[in-house]
């Protein structure tokens, strides 16, 4: 098959999932063309079947807001026309789905099927914004097939955008062997002093991630046991979080690591992962932690209960329940045997329920349907 994959190239989970999928498909023999305004951080262009096409958005004095969606649609048309793409798979609906639908229309009568994967904030925050709602809904409804990364996101899309057409659920996945390879590394322990427990948070530091809650939970735990917090990632809330760390005199035990391409290099060796988000359609970072045998304390929102099993590989609490999250963190950090049991259960879940090969097969089945194949009778999306 010849497949176009369009995504955001930044550090968000949607770009990571799109990149891993692109590399897996190319590895299986498909010809894959990645289309974005920069090379996505996780893409390794070392495969002969994998190509990258940069979307260039020219500036013109008239444009206060250069039209990225049009430049993207134009690149999609060029790539589809000259490389004879069978389909284009867009990750994140805004504006990628709309650009793909436009490209399909421009290309007619050359066929191009559009597959859209919804990742979360493209529905819950951005797509839902009245300024984008109608075009987001249009892009989704006009796609030849639509997937969501969790059952919760499918429900939200149906409820909030009133979408009644079929949405397949293909959960996010990880290449668990990568986490196996990092096992020998010191990982998070590099930053810890002897006797310190290490807690990790990874995100893009957007308000939806509630990184200040991470700090508050950490401060509660630090009153009870020696511990360190590693904050991985960067984004708009980082200055507020840094200010809070200074205010409470915690700079000595909180380390900001910034963006990292290979998060397992920090997750390995960590004792606990914190994800107190306001909303989270899936929580790829939580899955990466589980895969590294790190138990997760998170909020019981969106798709997180589909990833983290309360009392088995982590604990879930209502949004803002700082005392509850701190109590769960302490429970795990002060009981090595229990923490190890939770870690093993997390690794098992990652390997058994979020296997890369199974997800790639599920996406292939969605492609087959988009290309006009019959739906399988049982157990499908
Ligand atoms: O978390 C973000 O703000 C980035 C966003 C993205 O598009 O990269 O993440 C969303 O997609 C990820 C990959 O499917 C999910 O794991 C995240 O849960 C989801 N974020 C939210 O729903 C807040």
């Amino acid at each position: 098959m010849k497949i176009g994959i369009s995504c955001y190239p930044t550090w968000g989970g949607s770009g990571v999932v799109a990149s891993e999928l692109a590399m897996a498909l190319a590895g299986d023999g498909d010809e894959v063309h990645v289309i974005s305004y920069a090379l996505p951080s996780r893409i390794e262009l070392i495969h002969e079947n994998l190509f990258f096409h940069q979307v260039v958005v020219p500036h013109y004095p008239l444009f206060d807001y250069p039209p990225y969606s049009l430049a993207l649609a134009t690149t999609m048309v060029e790539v589809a026309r000259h490389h004879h793409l069978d389909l284009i798979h867009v990750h994140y609906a805004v504006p990628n789905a709309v650009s793909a639908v436009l490209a399909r229309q421009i290309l007619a009568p050359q066929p191009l099927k559009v597959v859209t994967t919804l990742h979360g904030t493209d529905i819950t925050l951005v797509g839902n914004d009245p300024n984008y709602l109608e075009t987001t809904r249009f892009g989704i409804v006009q796609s030849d097939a639509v997937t969501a990364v969790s059952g919760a996101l499918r429900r939200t899309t149906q409820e909030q955008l009133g979408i009644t057409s079929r949405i397949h659920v293909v959960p996010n996945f990880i290449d668990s062997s990568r986490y196996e390879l990092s096992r020998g590394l010191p990982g998070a322990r590099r930053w810890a002093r002897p006797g310190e427990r290490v807690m990790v948070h990874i995100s893009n530091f957007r308000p939806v991630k509630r990184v200040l809650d991470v700090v508050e939970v950490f401060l509660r735990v630090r009153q009870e046991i020696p511990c360190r917090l590693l904050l991985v990632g960067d984004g708009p809330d980082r200055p507020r979080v840094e200010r809070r760390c200074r205010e409470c005199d915690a700079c000595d035990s909180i380390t900001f690591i910034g963006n990292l391409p290979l998060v397992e290099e920090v997750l390995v060796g960590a004792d606990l992962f914190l994800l107190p988000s306001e909303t989270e359609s899936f929580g790829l970072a939580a899955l990466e932690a589980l895969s590294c045998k790190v138990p997760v304390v998170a909020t019981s929102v969106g798709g997180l209960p589909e990833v983290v099993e309360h009392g088995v590989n982590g604990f879930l609490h209502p949004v803002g329940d700082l005392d509850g999250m701190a109590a769960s963190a302490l429970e795990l950090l002060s009981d090595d045997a229990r923490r190890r049991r939770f870690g093993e259960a997390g690794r098992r879940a990652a390997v058994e329920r979020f296997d890369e090969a199974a997800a790639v097969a599920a996406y292939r089945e969605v492609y087959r349907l988009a290309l006009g194949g019959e739906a399988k009778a049982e157990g499908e999306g």
Side-chain angles (χ1 to χ4, degrees):
M1 235 187 297
K2 294 189 174 193
I3 303 162
I5 289 197
S6 182
C7 64
Y8 282 95
T10 43
W11 299 93
S14 58
V16 170
V17 170
S19 303
E20 299 285 356
L21 177 62
M23 292 189 288
L25 290 166
D28 285 352
D30 293 297
E31 185 176 308
V32 181
H33 295 262
V34 175
I35 301 170
S36 190
Y37 59 83
L39 186 69
S41 53
R42 284 271 175 105
I43 288 270
E44 297 152 20
L45 269 180
I46 43 161
H47 202 284
E48 66 271 23
N49 295 340
L50 189 57
F51 303 89
F52 172 63
H53 306 266
Q54 185 169 2
V55 180
V56 177
V57 192
H59 282 258
Y60 183 68
L62 197 64
F63 297 157
D64 268 349
Y65 306 99
Y68 173 68
S69 354
L70 298 184
L72 175 60
T74 307
T75 310
M76 287 173 171
V77 169
E78 296 285 334
V79 175
R81 186 174 282 152
H82 298 295
H83 296 278
H84 310 288
L85 297 186
D86 298 300
L87 62 88
I88 185 135
H89 183 178
V90 300
H91 290 260
Y92 209 89
V94 187
N96 304 341
V98 179
S99 298
V101 167
L102 178 60
R104 182 182 64 194
Q105 211 173 340
I106 294 168
L107 278 162
Q110 179 187 330
L112 178 72
K113 298 296 181 185
V114 175
V115 176
T116 295
T117 289
L118 311 174
H119 278 273
T121 48
D122 46 353
I123 299 301
T124 54
L125 299 179
V126 185
N128 226 349
D129 184 312
N131 296 293
Y132 292 117
L133 187 116
E134 286 301 338
T135 44
T136 306
R137 187 191 285 136
F138 175 81
I140 294 171
V141 169
Q142 292 294 319
S143 297
D144 296 289
V146 179
T147 76
V149 297
S150 63
L153 182 60
R154 170 164 65 184
R155 280 192 298 281
T156 307
T157 309
Q158 289 162 338
E159 286 162 15
Q160 296 189 2
L161 270 70
I163 305 275
T164 53
S165 46
R166 186 170 191 183
I167 300 175
H168 308 263
V169 174
V170 181
N172 285 336
F173 59 91
I174 38 151
D175 171 3
S176 47
S177 66
R178 264 211 0 239
Y179 299 84
E180 203 63 45
L181 291 175
S182 310
R183 273 175 83 173
L185 300 173
R189 302 236 65 85
R190 264 176 296 197
W191 287 273
R193 297 195 187 113
E196 274 181 346
R197 295 280 178 234
V198 188
M199 297 158 81
V200 176
H201 168 77
I202 303 175
S203 78
N204 51 19
F205 283 58
R206 298 204 172 270
V208 69
K209 300 293 178 181
R210 297 179 69 104
V211 188
L212 280 173
D213 283 7
V214 173
V215 174
E216 298 308 325
V217 170
F218 171 74
L219 293 174
R220 284 164 169 73
V221 175
R222 194 181 69 153
Q223 280 176 359
E224 308 296 327
I225 53 170
C227 57
R228 169 159 300 274
L229 175 63
L230 302 181
L231 293 169
V232 180
D234 211 331
D237 271 357
R238 181 165 165 175
R240 283 174 67 208
V241 176
E242 286 183 344
R243 197 178 329 123
R244 178 69 186 129
C245 297
R246 286 193 288 269
E247 270 167 22
C248 59
D249 210 12
C251 299
D252 202 32
S253 49
I254 300 181
T255 310
F256 289 80
I257 294 181
N259 281 320
L260 272 185
L262 300 176
V263 290
E264 62 272 24
E265 290 182 1
V266 171
L267 283 169
V268 164
D271 297 302
L272 194 81
F273 186 77
L274 283 172
L275 194 61
S277 307
E278 182 89 37
T279 68
E280 202 67 68
S281 70
F282 183 89
L284 187 63
L287 175 57
E288 290 173 321
L290 295 179
S291 186
C292 292
K293 301 189 178 177
V294 182
V296 175
V297 171
T299 40
S300 46
V301 292
L304 275 170
E306 295 171 48
V307 181
V308 179
E309 292 167 272
H310 183 78
V312 177
N313 54 32
F315 289 108
L316 296 168
H317 292 272
V319 174
D321 179 11
L322 305 176
D323 290 336
M325 286 187 268
S328 288
L330 263 171
E331 213 174 304
L332 287 168
L333 293 176
S334 43
D335 182 344
D336 276 352
R338 189 153 189 229
R339 188 165 39 77
R340 263 198 291 278
R341 254 194 334 272
F342 271 52
E344 294 294 342
R347 171 77 192 169
R348 243 186 342 268
V351 172
E352 289 169 7
R353 293 173 38 225
F354 301 101
D355 174 50
E356 179 178 281
V360 174
Y363 277 122
R364 277 188 192 291
E365 175 58 12
V366 172
Y367 295 168
R368 202 180 63 77
L369 291 172
L371 289 164
E374 291 291 310
K376 282 186 181 164
E378 307 277 328
E380 192 273 328

